Every structure is written in C-alpha cells, then in structure tokens.
Amino acid sequence: MNLRDLVTGTQFVVADQKNTMAKYSKTAQKKVEKTMRERKRGTLRSGSGKKVTSRKQAIAIGLSEARKRGAKVPKKAAKKSGRKTSGTTRRKTAKKRGR
C-alpha cells in the first residue's frame, strides 16, 4: 500500500480471499474415508491382492475408485521422467593412493 492509495481511498482485494471451489467432491471424500477405514482394519487390498499398509497408497486407491464412479477429483499428476543423463556416461573409479 502506498501513500496515493491512502489519500484516494482505493479499496484492495486480498489475494488470499479468492472465491475458490472445493477440489474434491463429497463422494470422493467418502470413498477415501472408507478406504482409510479398511486400511486401518487390515482388509484393504491392492490390485495384486497384497495387503495395503501405506497411508498414501490407501488414499490413492480411494481417489482412483472415486474417479471410476465419476466423482469430482483432480486429474492424476503427470509422471516424472527418470533420471536425466547427459550424452556421455561417467564411470566412478577408485582413487589410487600414492605410498
């Protein structure tokens, strides 16, 4: 805020108070809640049939199921590509110590 704004009485809009909508629908929230309960009980299984113990994996399964039902869920993040390497490869060699 500068002096000119104080004198003229210009109104400010705070950037933090944007009119934003919810990212996830109620259906998606319920689905994630259900999968988290299943994980806690030890009954949540992944696609391969193994028991899910990871909190993050349980959330991912819940969001995936919500997407399949058509609930409002943001798109999956794009996969990050592997390690970027330059055209030449470098080999690590052991340093030789002089005696």
Side-chain angles (χ1 to χ4, degrees):
M1 184 181 327
N2 58 28
L3 184 59
R4 189 184 76 192
D5 294 326
L6 287 172
V7 174
T8 58
T10 308
Q11 292 183 352
F12 294 95
V13 177
V14 179
D16 294 338
Q17 295 176 350
K18 290 180 183 174
N19 186 11
T20 57
M21 293 182 63
K23 287 185 180 180
Y24 299 92
S25 65
K26 294 286 182 190
T27 310
Q29 290 175 13
K30 294 282 183 190
K31 208 60 172 144
V32 171
E33 194 175 309
K34 184 182 173 197
T35 54
M36 291 299 282
R37 260 188 265 115
E38 284 180 29
R39 180 191 69 101
K40 209 168 185 181
R41 290 187 194 123
T43 59
L44 182 63
R45 304 281 172 172
S46 66
S48 63
K50 291 185 177 181
K51 189 188 292 186
V52 174
T53 56
S54 168
R55 182 178 161 272
K56 286 184 178 182
Q57 193 175 0
I59 293 169
I61 291 169
L63 291 176
S64 177
E65 288 177 4
R67 271 190 201 98
K68 285 179 186 173
R69 286 188 167 218
K72 182 186 166 196
V73 182
K75 291 181 181 178
K76 286 184 186 179
K79 286 187 178 180
K80 292 182 181 178
S81 60
R83 235 174 61 195
K84 290 185 180 179
T85 57
S86 60
T88 59
T89 56
R90 296 181 185 175
R91 292 185 185 185
K92 291 184 180 180
T93 57
K95 290 183 180 179
K96 294 181 181 178
R97 292 186 181 184
R99 292 185 187 203

